[in-house]
Amino acid sequence: AQVPGELELQRMGFTSEEQVGAVYRARAIEFIRKNPGTFLRLCWVRWMQFWKIWSPRVGIVENAVSVLSFGTLLAFCLAGLARQSSRAPEALVLGVLIVLLSFVHAVYPSIVRYRLPVEPLMIAIAAPTLLEAWKIVWGRPTVDARSDPRRA
């Protein structure tokens, strides 16, 4: 059964937002119980929407910027989690927070901008791996704030 619009619910005597919300919640739970496979498939679609780095709806330049910025961050974040998981448990804590937020957006509506709160956490995880890659590629150490003579 299709969920009726708010006007129809008001005609049926549901006038407050709380009453309308209760009807929507009951119908959503009913849908999930009757269609668990469909619900999981829709969660997967929303989860992928949360993490996507390429969209057919935007131009090539916008997609290239997304791949170069977020795609690179995602790669270094995953590499950082893999490298730091045994040495730095705080990286795992940040990783768990990122995963939990992404699961919330798998159940509720998700668009790319909802990913913005996790990006600073991803940067914190990715930074040590990025610094190591810098050392490997450029063959010289990075500036360490503790040994920087200007900070003395």
Side-chain angles (χ1 to χ4, degrees):
Q2 186 176 356
V3 177
E6 285 189 46
L7 289 175
E8 187 176 338
L9 287 173
Q10 288 175 354
R11 283 189 214 121
M12 294 168 61
F14 300 104
T15 55
S16 74
E17 286 185 33
E18 183 179 347
Q19 291 172 328
V20 171
V23 170
Y24 284 147
R25 187 172 23 268
R27 296 231 176 150
I29 292 169
E30 178 185 344
F31 175 84
I32 293 167
R33 283 188 182 138
K34 288 182 178 179
N35 308 286
T38 302
F39 172 71
L40 290 174
R41 185 174 46 77
L42 292 172
C43 285
W44 174 253
V45 168
R46 286 188 294 271
W47 193 80
M48 292 302 291
Q49 176 76 18
F50 184 81
W51 290 109
K52 77 177 177 180
I53 59 173
W54 185 274
S55 175
R57 294 187 213 150
V58 299
I60 190 77
V61 172
E62 292 86 352
N63 276 317
V65 168
S66 176
V67 167
L68 290 173
S69 61
F70 184 72
T72 303
L73 173 61
L74 182 59
F76 276 105
C77 180
L78 293 173
L81 279 173
R83 288 183 71 242
Q84 299 171 42
S85 60
S86 61
R87 296 181 303 193
E90 57 272 6
L92 285 178
V93 171
L94 294 178
V96 167
L97 289 173
I98 291 167
V99 169
L100 289 175
L101 186 61
S102 71
F103 282 148
V104 166
H105 288 291
V107 176
Y108 295 99
S110 177
I111 55 178
V112 171
R113 74 172 177 217
Y114 294 164
R115 186 175 64 209
L116 290 176
V118 302
E119 289 185 11
L121 302 175
M122 293 174 70
I123 291 168
I125 295 169
T129 305
L130 180 61
L131 289 174
E132 287 299 316
W134 176 273
K135 290 177 188 177
I136 291 167
V137 170
W138 297 105
R140 53 186 161 170
T142 57
V143 174
D144 184 353
R146 293 170 291 191
S147 64
D148 187 352
R150 294 174 292 179
R151 297 186 59 104

